[in-house]
Amino acid sequence: MDARQKITIKDVARRAGCGIATASRVLNRSGPASAEVRARVESAADALGFSFSAMGRALQGGRSMTIGCLVPSLANPVFAEAVQGVQEALSGSGYQLLIASSNYDGEADNDAIATLVAKEVDGVIVTMVAPEKSAALSDARGRGLPVSLMFHDPIDGFVTAHVDNFTAAREVARRFADLGHRHTAFLSLRFSSSDRSRNRYAGFRAECAARGLPDPVLIELGELEADRPELLADSFASLKDVTALFASNDFLAIAVQKAARLMGKSVPQDLSVVGFDGIEIGRLLELPLATIETAPHAMGRQAAQTLLEMLQGKACVQRPPLPFDFRAGATLARPRAESRDDDQGTAWPPSVPSLKIAQKQG
């Protein structure tokens, strides 16, 4: 064959000894084929140097062959790992990934969705402030755009790849209770805008109640406090009885340890700390972090696989939550009641102005 001649799907089918439709299904990964036929078609395509033109496929199928992926942040390794999982699941499918991030901002979420729709993506994979309330996402779905969520707990009308935040948080409360902690706190950033954080608090509180423990103190942080441990220390001012703290993510749990040191307190002797997510850096700390380990890479893969099924016209059902593990770490121990400052008549932490403390009553 003349090297200058354009190789077509017809040439591949002829060399593989199958029909054009079969060759197309194999190379598009759009339908069933036996392992033997698939091997013949792929071998023929390799020998001829054939590859589909993405533009040609888009024109042929009315698709852009692009997928939009919106996450709150790429600086957080949890979301970066999930995006990596999405990319791996899409590998070989012919789809390209367009990535956007919103910095946990609802308006930025809507702007990003609108931009992705304007670029005519064929579907979106999203983690955002409130998918069920997003006008832009509602408009996109109204146009028939497939949507796959990740990290979100199940929401009516959506399919999501997720971990059971409520159940995972109950495990943290069980660990605290089993070690003898009675007075606990839950630390969160963006509590009002994060369904994950709210469900973690709900599960933590439910298990505390089941164990006969007082309601955990809910500490809602501002952006400034989360970035400055000295201000975080200030926000602990009224927590004189608390011996165990559950942070809604690992970054906050790490910041808590720095804040405790600034107050002259030790983790875990004076304060046990548990995080959520299981980021790798938590293992590398001088005191490896106790945390709930999740599987963000698997979450991204599942979300992408769900979207591919939607694009193939398959009926999608909500999959069970992905597994989690409790990593014991070195920041969790029994409370050292005999050396607590409040036993000596002094409040713990030292009395300083409080910033944002909110306690939920039972």
Side-chain angles (χ1 to χ4, degrees):
M1 184 175 291
D2 190 333
R4 293 170 297 178
Q5 183 178 343
K6 184 177 180 180
I7 306 300
T8 68
I9 187 70
K10 184 177 180 180
D11 298 317
V12 175
R14 185 185 299 115
R15 186 179 182 106
C18 67
I20 293 174
T22 299
S24 179
R25 281 200 308 273
V26 170
L27 296 175
N28 261 319
R29 292 174 171 79
S30 60
S34 69
E36 188 266 335
V37 169
R38 186 174 297 279
R40 288 207 321 263
V41 171
E42 290 175 347
S43 177
D46 287 343
L48 294 172
F50 175 84
S51 64
F52 270 118
S53 160
M55 182 60 72
R57 278 188 292 188
L59 293 173
Q60 200 173 45
R63 292 181 175 181
S64 68
M65 300 306 295
T66 57
I67 299 295
C69 183
L70 172 62
V71 293
S73 169
L74 289 171
N76 187 329
V78 172
F79 296 119
E81 283 185 43
V83 170
Q84 184 66 33
V86 170
Q87 288 180 317
E88 289 185 13
L90 294 180
S91 177
S93 69
Y95 285 98
Q96 298 296 314
L97 194 62
L98 299 181
I99 303 171
S101 63
S102 65
N103 196 30
Y104 304 90
D105 181 272
E107 274 190 41
D109 278 338
N110 279 325
D111 290 344
I113 293 295
T115 298
L116 291 170
V117 170
K119 291 183 179 295
E120 299 184 343
V121 295
D122 296 323
V124 291
I125 298 167
V126 300
T127 305
M128 54 195 302
V129 169
E132 72 280 12
K133 296 179 182 177
S134 168
L137 193 61
S138 177
D139 178 66
R141 298 181 80 204
R143 300 183 187 199
L145 190 73
V147 175
S148 178
L149 304 183
M150 57 184 182
F151 291 98
H152 292 285
D153 288 280
I155 301 170
D156 285 345
F158 290 93
V159 177
T160 184
H162 71 297
V163 67
D164 188 334
N165 290 289
F166 187 93
T167 300
R170 294 195 75 144
E171 177 64 21
V172 176
R174 278 195 289 272
R175 300 282 177 148
F176 284 162
D178 288 347
L179 288 172
H181 293 281
R182 288 194 52 78
H183 299 285
T184 64
F186 179 84
L187 179 65
S188 174
L189 183 64
R190 308 179 191 91
F191 183 82
S192 61
S193 61
S194 171
D195 59 343
R196 284 92 65 202
S197 188
R198 293 193 302 273
N199 285 337
R200 288 167 197 170
Y201 175 73
F204 186 58
R205 185 185 183 205
E207 186 62 24
C208 284
R211 297 293 186 117
L213 305 182
D215 271 357
V217 177
L218 172 60
I219 311 169
E220 302 179 61
L221 296 182
E223 299 286 341
L224 190 59
E225 295 162 280
D227 291 335
R228 296 178 59 183
E230 66 274 17
L231 294 181
L232 181 57
D234 286 351
S235 71
F236 293 162
S238 65
L239 306 184
K240 72 169 190 172
D241 293 325
V242 169
T243 61
L245 186 144
F246 176 26
S248 64
N249 66 52
D250 285 348
F251 281 122
L252 287 177
I254 293 169
V256 166
Q257 295 180 68
K258 175 82 176 285
R261 286 197 298 271
L262 290 175
M263 294 183 293
K265 300 298 176 181
S266 298
V267 173
Q269 291 85 357
D270 300 310
L271 180 68
S272 284
V273 179
V274 173
F276 198 105
D277 287 328
I279 62 175
E280 189 60 28
I281 194 172
R283 294 180 182 273
L284 305 178
L285 300 173
E286 185 177 351
L287 287 178
L289 180 65
T291 186
I292 294 290
E293 276 191 330
T294 62
H297 187 273
M299 209 171 290
R301 287 187 64 88
Q302 187 184 102
Q305 288 162 356
T306 295
L307 190 67
L308 288 174
E309 291 170 4
M310 292 179 180
L311 290 168
Q312 292 168 7
K314 297 180 181 177
C316 290
V317 296
Q318 178 59 56
R319 289 181 167 96
L322 289 160
F324 65 86
D325 290 310
F326 186 87
R327 189 170 79 206
T331 59
L332 176 61
R334 292 185 178 278
R336 191 171 60 184
E338 66 275 11
S339 63
R340 282 172 49 201
D341 290 336
D342 55 298
D343 287 344
Q344 302 168 20
T346 303
W348 182 89
S351 180
V352 289
S354 176
L355 292 181
K356 295 179 184 176
I357 300 288
Q359 176 144 23
K360 299 295 184 184
Q361 300 299 322

